[in-house]
Amino acid sequence: SQQGEEDPQALSIQEGENATMNCSYKTSINNLQWYRQNSGRGLVHLILIRSNEREKHSGRLRVTLDTSKKSSSLLITASRAADTASYFCATAMNSGYSTLTFGKGTMLLVSP
Amino acid sequence: NAGVMQNPRHLVRRRGQEARLRCSPMKGHSHVYWYRQLPEEGLKFMVYLQKENIIDESGMPKERFSAEFPKEGPSILRIQQVVRGDSAAYFCASLEPTALNEKLFFGSGTQLSVL
């Protein structure tokens, strides 16, 4: 079964608004990562947060991790039409050799 | 430094034929993952390989599917006697040997269509 589950499944906002996506997972993790996928393309890594971190920033992205609730959120501030894509969380359970397990993703539509 | 290269980009096969999907990882990367994606769904893990070694094939069906990553050349995902249910996008990803379980670099995928 999928380790990560994103919600909402789809999100539609206007340019300039903030977008928040959530990810829940089931077992202990070493790190959690967020990826972006444009239609018909491969995934692109956005940001990684380790199990001993609570918050991380990268440009307009802000990621939080709550290991007690086994959940993470991705916030995109001041969204742009170019942010339209699907966003996936992925979890790695171990350090070293580890399979990255992906959720089903949140489809974000940013309208001009 | 070229990214992860997958070919072909699109592959059409009739039921019962064989499909061979190729993946050349980024230069210096010795670990490769294969994932499968159905429309509107996330990626499902299939197999994790190191050069000349399968690390984890728990996501790959036992029948008809095989994968290899030889010492020289690309990683190959092979599907024998394809069926309509094999139609999907297949993605390969690689990572640095010094950054296991961290950032994956993905190819653009191979879209397999089985007629």
mmCIF file of all heavy atoms in Angstrom, chain A residues 69-109:
data_model
loop_
_atom_site.group_PDB
_atom_site.id
_atom_site.type_symbol
_atom_site.label_atom_id
_atom_site.label_comp_id
_atom_site.label_asym_id
_atom_site.label_seq_id
_atom_site.Cartn_x
_atom_site.Cartn_y
_atom_site.Cartn_z
ATOM 1 N N LYS A 69 2.445 13.187 14.349
ATOM 2 C CA LYS A 69 1.201 12.988 13.594
ATOM 3 C C LYS A 69 1.459 12.277 12.275
ATOM 4 O O LYS A 69 0.528 11.999 11.522
ATOM 5 C CB LYS A 69 0.524 14.336 13.314
ATOM 6 C CG LYS A 69 0.033 15.046 14.557
ATOM 7 C CD LYS A 69 -0.642 16.356 14.195
ATOM 8 C CE LYS A 69 -1.137 17.051 15.464
ATOM 9 N NZ LYS A 69 -1.733 18.392 15.155
ATOM 10 N N LYS A 70 2.713 11.996 11.989
ATOM 11 C CA LYS A 70 3.085 11.371 10.720
ATOM 12 C C LYS A 70 2.484 12.149 9.548
ATOM 13 O O LYS A 70 1.749 11.589 8.706
ATOM 14 C CB LYS A 70 2.659 9.904 10.683
ATOM 15 C CG LYS A 70 3.428 9.026 11.659
ATOM 16 C CD LYS A 70 3.092 7.552 11.458
ATOM 17 C CE LYS A 70 4.050 6.655 12.205
ATOM 18 N NZ LYS A 70 4.086 6.880 13.654
ATOM 19 N N SER A 71 2.791 13.428 9.517
ATOM 20 C CA SER A 71 2.249 14.251 8.443
ATOM 21 C C SER A 71 3.228 15.356 8.066
ATOM 22 O O SER A 71 4.083 15.757 8.866
ATOM 23 C CB SER A 71 0.907 14.856 8.858
ATOM 24 O OG SER A 71 1.099 15.796 9.887
ATOM 25 N N SER A 72 3.059 15.847 6.842
ATOM 26 C CA SER A 72 3.875 16.939 6.327
ATOM 27 C C SER A 72 2.978 17.849 5.512
ATOM 28 O O SER A 72 1.932 17.410 5.000
ATOM 29 C CB SER A 72 4.989 16.383 5.440
ATOM 30 O OG SER A 72 5.692 17.425 4.777
ATOM 31 N N SER A 73 3.375 19.104 5.400
ATOM 32 C CA SER A 73 2.642 20.005 4.520
ATOM 33 C C SER A 73 3.631 20.758 3.647
ATOM 34 O O SER A 73 4.770 21.029 4.048
ATOM 35 C CB SER A 73 1.800 20.992 5.331
ATOM 36 O OG SER A 73 2.634 21.879 6.037
ATOM 37 N N LEU A 74 3.172 21.065 2.442
ATOM 38 C CA LEU A 74 3.939 21.874 1.495
ATOM 39 C C LEU A 74 3.132 23.133 1.230
ATOM 40 O O LEU A 74 1.977 23.055 0.800
ATOM 41 C CB LEU A 74 4.170 21.120 0.187
ATOM 42 C CG LEU A 74 4.779 21.926 -0.964
ATOM 43 C CD1 LEU A 74 6.215 22.318 -0.656
ATOM 44 C CD2 LEU A 74 4.720 21.134 -2.280
ATOM 45 N N LEU A 75 3.728 24.272 1.488
ATOM 46 C CA LEU A 75 3.095 25.559 1.223
ATOM 47 C C LEU A 75 3.837 26.248 0.092
ATOM 48 O O LEU A 75 5.064 26.388 0.142
ATOM 49 C CB LEU A 75 3.135 26.433 2.483
ATOM 50 C CG LEU A 75 2.748 27.908 2.310
ATOM 51 C CD1 LEU A 75 1.276 28.042 1.959
ATOM 52 C CD2 LEU A 75 3.080 28.711 3.569
ATOM 53 N N ILE A 76 3.093 26.642 -0.923
ATOM 54 C CA ILE A 76 3.652 27.455 -2.012
ATOM 55 C C ILE A 76 3.052 28.844 -1.856
ATOM 56 O O ILE A 76 1.832 29.011 -1.943
ATOM 57 C CB ILE A 76 3.304 26.893 -3.395
ATOM 58 C CG1 ILE A 76 3.771 25.443 -3.519
ATOM 59 C CG2 ILE A 76 3.927 27.747 -4.496
ATOM 60 C CD1 ILE A 76 3.332 24.758 -4.818
ATOM 61 N N THR A 77 3.887 29.822 -1.618
ATOM 62 C CA THR A 77 3.376 31.179 -1.426
ATOM 63 C C THR A 77 3.362 31.938 -2.749
ATOM 64 O O THR A 77 4.124 31.637 -3.677
ATOM 65 C CB THR A 77 4.243 31.946 -0.417
ATOM 66 O OG1 THR A 77 5.582 32.010 -0.924
ATOM 67 C CG2 THR A 77 4.248 31.264 0.937
ATOM 68 N N ALA A 78 2.454 32.917 -2.824
ATOM 69 C CA ALA A 78 2.361 33.790 -3.997
ATOM 70 C C ALA A 78 2.410 32.971 -5.287
ATOM 71 O O ALA A 78 3.288 33.157 -6.131
ATOM 72 C CB ALA A 78 3.493 34.815 -3.968
ATOM 73 N N SER A 79 1.461 32.065 -5.435
ATOM 74 C CA SER A 79 1.500 31.118 -6.544
ATOM 75 C C SER A 79 1.432 31.814 -7.898
ATOM 76 O O SER A 79 0.903 32.931 -8.035
ATOM 77 C CB SER A 79 0.355 30.121 -6.410
ATOM 78 O OG SER A 79 -0.871 30.789 -6.502
ATOM 79 N N ARG A 80 1.970 31.111 -8.884
ATOM 80 C CA ARG A 80 1.996 31.595 -10.271
ATOM 81 C C ARG A 80 1.362 30.543 -11.164
ATOM 82 O O ARG A 80 1.320 29.358 -10.805
ATOM 83 C CB ARG A 80 3.443 31.818 -10.708
ATOM 84 C CG ARG A 80 4.224 32.745 -9.796
ATOM 85 C CD ARG A 80 5.707 32.642 -10.076
ATOM 86 N NE ARG A 80 6.493 33.493 -9.168
ATOM 87 C CZ ARG A 80 7.818 33.429 -9.033
ATOM 88 N NH1 ARG A 80 8.509 32.558 -9.757
ATOM 89 N NH2 ARG A 80 8.437 34.228 -8.192
ATOM 90 N N ALA A 81 0.919 30.959 -12.330
ATOM 91 C CA ALA A 81 0.332 30.000 -13.280
ATOM 92 C C ALA A 81 1.320 28.872 -13.584
ATOM 93 O O ALA A 81 0.931 27.716 -13.771
ATOM 94 C CB ALA A 81 -0.085 30.715 -14.564
ATOM 95 N N ALA A 82 2.601 29.190 -13.597
ATOM 96 C CA ALA A 82 3.631 28.189 -13.889
ATOM 97 C C ALA A 82 3.778 27.133 -12.786
ATOM 98 O O ALA A 82 4.441 26.117 -12.982
ATOM 99 C CB ALA A 82 4.979 28.870 -14.111
ATOM 100 N N ASP A 83 3.147 27.366 -11.635
ATOM 101 C CA ASP A 83 3.175 26.365 -10.563
ATOM 102 C C ASP A 83 2.174 25.240 -10.812
ATOM 103 O O ASP A 83 2.162 24.248 -10.077
ATOM 104 C CB ASP A 83 2.855 27.013 -9.206
ATOM 105 C CG ASP A 83 3.927 27.990 -8.755
ATOM 106 O OD1 ASP A 83 5.107 27.775 -9.091
ATOM 107 O OD2 ASP A 83 3.574 28.973 -8.067
ATOM 108 N N THR A 84 1.333 25.398 -11.831
ATOM 109 C CA THR A 84 0.363 24.367 -12.163
ATOM 110 C C THR A 84 1.083 23.059 -12.474
ATOM 111 O O THR A 84 1.916 23.005 -13.378
ATOM 112 C CB THR A 84 -0.493 24.797 -13.371
ATOM 113 O OG1 THR A 84 -1.280 25.923 -13.000
ATOM 114 C CG2 THR A 84 -1.387 23.663 -13.848
ATOM 115 N N ALA A 85 0.774 22.025 -11.709
ATOM 116 C CA ALA A 85 1.463 20.735 -11.822
ATOM 117 C C ALA A 85 0.846 19.793 -10.789
ATOM 118 O O ALA A 85 -0.018 20.189 -10.011
ATOM 119 C CB ALA A 85 2.955 20.888 -11.556
ATOM 120 N N SER A 86 1.325 18.554 -10.786
ATOM 121 C CA SER A 86 0.979 17.625 -9.714
ATOM 122 C C SER A 86 2.140 17.578 -8.727
ATOM 123 O O SER A 86 3.305 17.607 -9.136
ATOM 124 C CB SER A 86 0.714 16.235 -10.268
ATOM 125 O OG SER A 86 -0.480 16.219 -11.018
ATOM 126 N N TYR A 87 1.817 17.500 -7.461
ATOM 127 C CA TYR A 87 2.829 17.506 -6.407
ATOM 128 C C TYR A 87 2.714 16.211 -5.607
ATOM 129 O O TYR A 87 1.613 15.820 -5.185
ATOM 130 C CB TYR A 87 2.643 18.724 -5.505
ATOM 131 C CG TYR A 87 2.964 20.011 -6.227
ATOM 132 C CD1 TYR A 87 2.015 20.621 -7.053
ATOM 133 C CD2 TYR A 87 4.223 20.615 -6.119
ATOM 134 C CE1 TYR A 87 2.310 21.780 -7.750
ATOM 135 C CE2 TYR A 87 4.519 21.782 -6.815
ATOM 136 C CZ TYR A 87 3.559 22.347 -7.629
ATOM 137 O OH TYR A 87 3.848 23.500 -8.323
ATOM 138 N N PHE A 88 3.848 15.567 -5.415
ATOM 139 C CA PHE A 88 3.885 14.274 -4.736
ATOM 140 C C PHE A 88 4.818 14.328 -3.529
ATOM 141 O O PHE A 88 5.891 14.935 -3.602
ATOM 142 C CB PHE A 88 4.411 13.186 -5.672
ATOM 143 C CG PHE A 88 3.548 12.914 -6.860
ATOM 144 C CD1 PHE A 88 3.727 13.615 -8.044
ATOM 145 C CD2 PHE A 88 2.566 11.947 -6.816
ATOM 146 C CE1 PHE A 88 2.935 13.364 -9.160
ATOM 147 C CE2 PHE A 88 1.766 11.680 -7.919
ATOM 148 C CZ PHE A 88 1.950 12.395 -9.090
ATOM 149 N N CYS A 89 4.408 13.670 -2.459
ATOM 150 C CA CYS A 89 5.350 13.457 -1.363
ATOM 151 C C CYS A 89 5.915 12.043 -1.483
ATOM 152 O O CYS A 89 5.262 11.146 -2.035
ATOM 153 C CB CYS A 89 4.705 13.669 0.000
ATOM 154 S SG CYS A 89 3.469 12.445 0.485
ATOM 155 N N ALA A 90 7.120 11.875 -1.003
ATOM 156 C CA ALA A 90 7.774 10.566 -1.037
ATOM 157 C C ALA A 90 8.509 10.361 0.276
ATOM 158 O O ALA A 90 9.115 11.299 0.800
ATOM 159 C CB ALA A 90 8.758 10.482 -2.207
ATOM 160 N N THR A 91 8.440 9.161 0.794
ATOM 161 C CA THR A 91 9.076 8.885 2.081
ATOM 162 C C THR A 91 10.162 7.826 1.922
ATOM 163 O O THR A 91 10.029 6.885 1.135
ATOM 164 C CB THR A 91 8.048 8.387 3.112
ATOM 165 O OG1 THR A 91 7.301 7.306 2.555
ATOM 166 C CG2 THR A 91 7.101 9.493 3.519
ATOM 167 N N ALA A 92 11.234 8.014 2.675
ATOM 168 C CA ALA A 92 12.317 7.047 2.749
ATOM 169 C C ALA A 92 12.369 6.551 4.188
ATOM 170 O O ALA A 92 12.465 7.353 5.122
ATOM 171 C CB ALA A 92 13.643 7.684 2.366
ATOM 172 N N MET A 93 12.296 5.250 4.365
ATOM 173 C CA MET A 93 12.178 4.727 5.725
ATOM 174 C C MET A 93 13.522 4.594 6.426
ATOM 175 O O MET A 93 13.599 4.678 7.643
ATOM 176 C CB MET A 93 11.442 3.386 5.695
ATOM 177 C CG MET A 93 9.954 3.558 5.446
ATOM 178 S SD MET A 93 9.016 2.064 5.717
ATOM 179 C CE MET A 93 9.352 1.217 4.201
ATOM 180 N N ASN A 94 14.573 4.336 5.637
ATOM 181 C CA ASN A 94 15.868 4.094 6.256
ATOM 182 C C ASN A 94 16.911 5.031 5.694
ATOM 183 O O ASN A 94 16.738 5.621 4.645
ATOM 184 C CB ASN A 94 16.335 2.661 5.966
ATOM 185 C CG ASN A 94 15.301 1.641 6.340
ATOM 186 O OD1 ASN A 94 14.791 1.662 7.448
ATOM 187 N ND2 ASN A 94 14.981 0.762 5.410
ATOM 188 N N SER A 95 18.001 5.118 6.392
ATOM 189 C CA SER A 95 19.184 5.698 5.768
ATOM 190 C C SER A 95 19.818 4.575 4.969
ATOM 191 O O SER A 95 19.510 3.407 5.164
ATOM 192 C CB SER A 95 20.143 6.227 6.829
ATOM 193 O OG SER A 95 20.525 5.174 7.695
ATOM 194 N N GLY A 96 20.683 4.878 4.086
ATOM 195 C CA GLY A 96 21.265 3.834 3.256
ATOM 196 C C GLY A 96 20.279 3.364 2.203
ATOM 197 O O GLY A 96 19.409 4.105 1.773
ATOM 198 N N TYR A 97 20.389 2.113 1.805
ATOM 199 C CA TYR A 97 19.510 1.578 0.765
ATOM 200 C C TYR A 97 18.068 1.700 1.233
ATOM 201 O O TYR A 97 17.694 1.204 2.274
ATOM 202 C CB TYR A 97 19.809 0.101 0.514
ATOM 203 C CG TYR A 97 21.142 -0.182 -0.105
ATOM 204 C CD1 TYR A 97 21.934 -1.213 0.375
ATOM 205 C CD2 TYR A 97 21.626 0.571 -1.168
ATOM 206 C CE1 TYR A 97 23.158 -1.490 -0.196
ATOM 207 C CE2 TYR A 97 22.851 0.303 -1.738
ATOM 208 C CZ TYR A 97 23.616 -0.729 -1.253
ATOM 209 O OH TYR A 97 24.824 -1.001 -1.808
ATOM 210 N N SER A 98 17.256 2.363 0.447
ATOM 211 C CA SER A 98 15.869 2.530 0.841
ATOM 212 C C SER A 98 15.026 2.819 -0.380
ATOM 213 O O SER A 98 15.423 3.588 -1.232
ATOM 214 C CB SER A 98 15.744 3.681 1.835
ATOM 215 O OG SER A 98 14.406 3.866 2.233
ATOM 216 N N THR A 99 13.886 2.197 -0.434
ATOM 217 C CA THR A 99 12.938 2.485 -1.502
ATOM 218 C C THR A 99 12.175 3.755 -1.165
ATOM 219 O O THR A 99 11.677 3.895 -0.055
ATOM 220 C CB THR A 99 11.961 1.307 -1.638
ATOM 221 O OG1 THR A 99 12.693 0.142 -1.995
ATOM 222 C CG2 THR A 99 10.919 1.601 -2.698
ATOM 223 N N LEU A 100 12.096 4.681 -2.107
ATOM 224 C CA LEU A 100 11.275 5.872 -1.927
ATOM 225 C C LEU A 100 9.855 5.533 -2.345
ATOM 226 O O LEU A 100 9.629 5.071 -3.461
ATOM 227 C CB LEU A 100 11.805 7.021 -2.775
ATOM 228 C CG LEU A 100 12.907 7.875 -2.162
ATOM 229 C CD1 LEU A 100 13.319 8.976 -3.116
ATOM 230 C CD2 LEU A 100 12.467 8.489 -0.850
ATOM 231 N N THR A 101 8.905 5.760 -1.448
ATOM 232 C CA THR A 101 7.502 5.428 -1.701
ATOM 233 C C THR A 101 6.708 6.703 -1.901
ATOM 234 O O THR A 101 6.739 7.599 -1.047
ATOM 235 C CB THR A 101 6.931 4.629 -0.518
ATOM 236 O OG1 THR A 101 7.756 3.490 -0.280
ATOM 237 C CG2 THR A 101 5.523 4.160 -0.830
ATOM 238 N N PHE A 102 5.991 6.778 -3.006
ATOM 239 C CA PHE A 102 5.269 7.987 -3.394
ATOM 240 C C PHE A 102 3.784 7.872 -3.089
ATOM 241 O O PHE A 102 3.199 6.794 -3.148
ATOM 242 C CB PHE A 102 5.441 8.250 -4.894
ATOM 243 C CG PHE A 102 6.795 8.769 -5.265
ATOM 244 C CD1 PHE A 102 7.869 7.901 -5.419
ATOM 245 C CD2 PHE A 102 7.000 10.125 -5.461
ATOM 246 C CE1 PHE A 102 9.119 8.374 -5.758
ATOM 247 C CE2 PHE A 102 8.253 10.610 -5.806
ATOM 248 C CZ PHE A 102 9.313 9.730 -5.951
ATOM 249 N N GLY A 103 3.169 9.025 -2.812
ATOM 250 C CA GLY A 103 1.731 9.109 -2.695
ATOM 251 C C GLY A 103 1.097 9.313 -4.063
ATOM 252 O O GLY A 103 1.785 9.306 -5.087
ATOM 253 N N LYS A 104 -0.227 9.524 -4.071
ATOM 254 C CA LYS A 104 -0.958 9.660 -5.332
ATOM 255 C C LYS A 104 -0.941 11.085 -5.865
ATOM 256 O O LYS A 104 -1.324 11.336 -6.998
ATOM 257 C CB LYS A 104 -2.403 9.191 -5.170
ATOM 258 C CG LYS A 104 -2.526 7.695 -4.984
ATOM 259 C CD LYS A 104 -3.968 7.243 -5.023
ATOM 260 C CE LYS A 104 -4.033 5.728 -4.930
ATOM 261 N NZ LYS A 104 -5.427 5.226 -4.999
ATOM 262 N N GLY A 105 -0.535 12.027 -5.052
ATOM 263 C CA GLY A 105 -0.336 13.376 -5.534
ATOM 264 C C GLY A 105 -1.513 14.314 -5.368
ATOM 265 O O GLY A 105 -2.657 13.891 -5.199
ATOM 266 N N THR A 106 -1.198 15.594 -5.388
ATOM 267 C CA THR A 106 -2.196 16.666 -5.423
ATOM 268 C C THR A 106 -2.022 17.399 -6.730
ATOM 269 O O THR A 106 -0.923 17.836 -7.058
ATOM 270 C CB THR A 106 -1.996 17.654 -4.262
ATOM 271 O OG1 THR A 106 -2.295 17.008 -3.027
ATOM 272 C CG2 THR A 106 -2.897 18.870 -4.426
ATOM 273 N N MET A 107 -3.135 17.532 -7.471
ATOM 274 C CA MET A 107 -3.080 18.257 -8.736
ATOM 275 C C MET A 107 -3.413 19.716 -8.449
ATOM 276 O O MET A 107 -4.521 20.023 -7.997
ATOM 277 C CB MET A 107 -4.073 17.660 -9.719
ATOM 278 C CG MET A 107 -3.861 18.117 -11.149
ATOM 279 S SD MET A 107 -4.999 17.320 -12.284
ATOM 280 C CE MET A 107 -4.665 15.615 -11.988
ATOM 281 N N LEU A 108 -2.472 20.603 -8.691
ATOM 282 C CA LEU A 108 -2.655 22.036 -8.426
ATOM 283 C C LEU A 108 -2.882 22.780 -9.725
ATOM 284 O O LEU A 108 -2.098 22.658 -10.665
ATOM 285 C CB LEU A 108 -1.419 22.599 -7.715
ATOM 286 C CG LEU A 108 -1.401 24.115 -7.501
ATOM 287 C CD1 LEU A 108 -2.513 24.546 -6.554
ATOM 288 C CD2 LEU A 108 -0.045 24.580 -6.985
ATOM 289 N N LEU A 109 -3.953 23.562 -9.758
ATOM 290 C CA LEU A 109 -4.238 24.420 -10.916
ATOM 291 C C LEU A 109 -4.226 25.859 -10.439
ATOM 292 O O LEU A 109 -4.999 26.218 -9.552
ATOM 293 C CB LEU A 109 -5.590 24.065 -11.526
ATOM 294 C CG LEU A 109 -6.083 24.990 -12.642
ATOM 295 C CD1 LEU A 109 -5.147 24.936 -13.843
ATOM 296 C CD2 LEU A 109 -7.504 24.638 -13.071
#
